[in-house]
Amino acid sequence: MVVHVDPETRGDERGALLAFLDAERGGIRRALLGLSEEAAATRPSASELSLSGLLKHVRLTEQSWLERATGSAPEPAEGGTYADAEHGYELVGEETVASELAAWEAVARRTEEFIRAAGTLDATFALPDAPWFPPGQRVSLRWLLLRLITEMARHAGHADIIRESLDGAVAFELVAKERGEEWG
């Protein structure tokens, strides 16, 4: 993590978890600062990952987990998945970095509203029926937040590497840029 997360108000577990989640989201958002659409779509390594593709993936991932937790997840099409696997890592059609950032901001806002409104982080929901999850298992909202934090942290690290490969910008430099400060 590149930015400091303030300690929670004593006993505010959900606030602390939401703050860590947002700090990790910030790493991904900052990796896109100042890039053109073309640069954001560049794949500078052997991987198929680009910054715009990572952005779309994390938005879809958070959205699908929120839908699962709120009971509003659509059932996948026959043989399909909950996320658009074919285009889950690339922007298509009218999608842009700006539109994906706005969509992700809306998802993040709904995530926070849902978590803050929940009576307890011990409330549970069913995991999706997928080969990588135990059948019939339920998880708590606490588990959901921890899952999202780890997902965002993992991809924030990918974003750091991709951005540095594109133009040499490192995470601390991007934090300074976001704050309007000089780096170095």
Side-chain angles (χ1 to χ4, degrees):
M1 174 180 334
V2 176
V3 296
H4 174 72
V5 176
D6 287 329
E8 74 275 12
T9 302
R10 188 170 180 205
D12 183 17
E13 177 187 18
R14 75 183 71 209
L17 292 169
L18 287 166
F20 273 91
L21 175 56
D22 197 54
E24 296 302 340
R25 287 185 194 118
I28 298 165
R29 289 189 305 260
R30 278 187 300 278
L32 290 151
L33 279 176
L35 291 180
S36 67
E37 292 289 329
E38 182 179 66
T42 300
R43 298 172 175 155
S45 72
S47 167
E48 290 294 312
L49 292 177
S50 68
L51 288 172
S52 59
L54 270 178
L55 171 61
K56 183 174 181 177
H57 170 72
V58 294
R59 193 260 308 158
L60 287 171
T61 298
E62 184 168 347
Q63 180 178 314
S64 75
W65 278 113
L66 180 60
E67 289 170 348
R68 174 64 51 188
T70 61
S72 61
E75 289 302 318
E78 183 74 27
T81 64
Y82 289 95
D84 180 5
E86 183 180 355
H87 297 290
Y89 285 95
E90 67 179 332
L91 303 187
V92 295
E94 299 297 313
E95 295 173 336
T96 63
V97 168
S99 69
E100 281 300 308
L101 284 168
W104 193 23
E105 184 178 321
V107 170
R109 190 172 39 256
R110 288 193 309 271
T111 298
E112 180 160 354
E113 289 168 359
F114 172 68
I115 293 298
R116 291 209 181 272
T120 176
L121 293 180
D122 293 327
T124 65
F125 63 95
L127 283 175
D129 185 23
W132 48 88
F133 291 126
Q137 189 173 64
R138 298 184 66 80
V139 293
S140 69
L141 297 183
R142 181 178 297 101
W143 183 96
L144 168 67
L145 285 168
L146 293 168
R147 175 72 248 148
L148 289 173
I149 290 166
T150 59
E151 181 80 19
M152 297 309 151
R154 179 173 190 238
H155 291 312
H158 293 138
D160 284 344
I161 292 167
I162 294 170
R163 179 59 190 258
E164 189 172 1
S165 297
L166 290 174
D167 64 4
V170 296
F172 292 110
E173 178 181 354
L174 295 170
V175 168
K177 183 175 185 169
E178 179 181 53
R179 293 177 178 168
E181 300 169 357
E182 290 295 317
W183 166 251

